[in-house]
Amino acid sequence: MRAVTQSSPGGPETLSLTELPDPAPGPGEVLIEVAATAVNRADLLQRQGNYPPPPGASDVIGLECSGTIAALGEGVADWSVGDEVCALLAGGGYASHVVVPVGQVMGVPEGIDLVTAAALPEVACTVWSNVFMVAGLRPGENFLVHGGGGGIGTFAIQLAHAVGARVFTTAGSPEKLQRCRELGADVAINYRDEDFVKVVREATGGHGADVVLDNMGAKYLPRNVDVLADEGRLVIIGMQGGVKGELNIAKLLSKRGAVIATALRSRPVDNKARICASVVENVWPLVADGTVKPVVSEVLSLADVARAHRLVEDGDSIGKVLMTP
């Protein structure tokens, strides 16, 4: 099979397309002939040597894909060869073929083409599991998502808006801020010259954000606690702004607030299977009827993997960058 390999940890120039032995599905797994994969921030960390795959996962980068089932492992009964699917992966997406546990395989939502479907698994599972299954966002609550122009942000804005939350987001350019508003953000904040704590508190009459989805980590921790409403829930899913921050426990106690840190990739297979099943039940209908749409910035080939990584690393793209074998 064709796959992206890496000469050594480092920059995008260390990635190249090569040939590897074809994988075969084991019991409870399926083999997918990949139509497309997507570049995620976690992929950049793995390339740099800072986010190794969990035990047993492929060393090939790539956390999601879409494609056609090419073979079934022993005991797989719910799918057939030739079915068009998308999948959440622990690794291996940057390839022409990938093996995945059957519980992480999802049908393609109606009306979505097979290539575009590669933009869905990681963002849908991340947003649904964290914002709704963990933080319990409810209609009428105030929701703040950082990085509104990225893959997670563009999806979170739409999904929170769809369920009736008031949506706040941060982004760093006029173009991204406008796109966030088009997707359903009620208030879009330029983090370069505005204080998101002040803007959110003023816009909510001092109430604050009931749920915050944060990809920055340490850099935003004190201000995320400041912006929380009473009984607010801060969910940290990234560490672009560092790994060590100061937490004012007294302030958190006074708000009866919660700080939750989660990772999707390292969860047990059965846990990820439950998330995927919940996404198919609750999110896919909203995608199928057009309420929530995958946002794709560019579609490149795997041979252009270095360019794809640079696009995501530079932060100029809006939504997902996809690659096809």
Side-chain angles (χ1 to χ4, degrees):
M1 69 174 183
R2 296 183 305 282
V4 171
T5 58
Q6 189 171 13
S7 56
S8 61
E13 70 281 353
T14 63
L15 303 172
S16 61
L17 190 61
T18 186
E19 295 284 334
L20 291 178
D22 292 334
E29 296 179 334
V30 301
L31 175 67
I32 297 175
E33 182 178 354
V34 175
T37 187
V39 181
N40 290 282
R41 284 276 171 184
D43 300 347
L44 310 185
L45 292 174
Q46 182 172 339
R47 188 203 72 218
Q48 295 161 0
N50 297 322
Y51 192 26
S58 171
D59 291 332
V60 174
I61 298 174
L63 299 179
E64 60 191 326
C65 74
S66 61
T68 304
I69 293 181
L72 306 175
E74 180 184 348
V76 175
D78 297 332
W79 299 100
S80 300
V81 172
D83 286 345
E84 293 188 344
V85 297
C86 56
L88 182 69
L89 311 173
Y94 290 15
S96 60
H97 294 78
V98 65
V99 166
V100 57
V102 67
Q104 292 163 222
V105 178
M106 298 171 282
V108 175
E110 184 178 348
I112 302 298
D113 69 85
L114 190 56
V115 168
T116 302
L120 289 170
E122 180 73 14
V123 295
C125 291
T126 296
V127 173
W128 180 255
S129 65
N130 287 292
V131 177
F132 296 92
M133 296 175 73
V134 172
L137 181 69
R138 297 182 291 269
E141 288 192 316
N142 298 315
F143 172 63
L144 169 64
V145 57
H146 294 295
I152 296 291
T154 53
F155 201 87
I157 288 168
Q158 295 180 81
L159 197 53
H161 175 76
V163 303
R166 189 180 186 192
V167 181
F168 297 79
T169 191
T170 60
S173 72
E175 180 185 14
K176 288 186 177 182
L177 293 167
Q178 180 57 33
R179 187 70 178 111
C180 290
R181 296 185 189 101
E182 293 169 356
L183 292 171
D186 297 280
V187 179
I189 305 158
N190 191 327
Y191 65 79
R192 299 185 189 279
D193 53 26
E194 294 181 279
D195 178 359
F196 68 80
V197 178
K198 180 180 179 181
V199 172
V200 172
R201 289 216 160 270
E202 288 181 351
T204 60
H207 178 83
D210 298 290
V211 175
V212 178
L213 185 64
D214 174 60
N215 60 353
M216 291 300 293
K219 183 177 180 180
Y220 277 13
L221 181 58
R223 286 193 292 159
N224 278 334
V225 173
D226 286 344
V227 83
L228 276 185
D230 287 349
E231 298 185 359
R233 292 84 75 195
L234 164 62
V235 185
I236 302 171
I237 60 170
M239 46 191 177
Q240 294 179 40
V243 299
K244 293 183 179 180
E246 184 171 303
L247 176 64
N248 187 327
I249 296 175
K251 186 173 294 184
L252 195 65
L253 285 170
S254 71
K255 296 183 175 190
R256 304 178 303 283
V259 178
I260 308 153
T262 75
L264 184 58
R265 186 183 193 185
S266 59
R267 293 179 187 230
V269 170
D270 60 345
N271 188 300
K272 286 188 275 191
R274 287 195 295 271
I275 291 171
C276 289
S278 187
V279 164
V280 170
E281 178 183 357
N282 295 285
V283 181
W284 270 199
L286 297 173
V287 177
D289 69 15
T291 301
V292 177
K293 300 177 180 178
V295 178
V296 176
S297 173
E298 292 199 46
V299 181
L300 305 175
S301 73
L302 273 182
D304 291 324
V305 60
R307 181 185 167 209
H309 269 232
R310 289 188 183 99
L311 284 172
V312 174
E313 206 154 40
D314 291 345
D316 294 331
S317 58
I318 296 178
K320 300 297 288 272
V321 174
L322 306 183
M323 299 185 294
T324 59

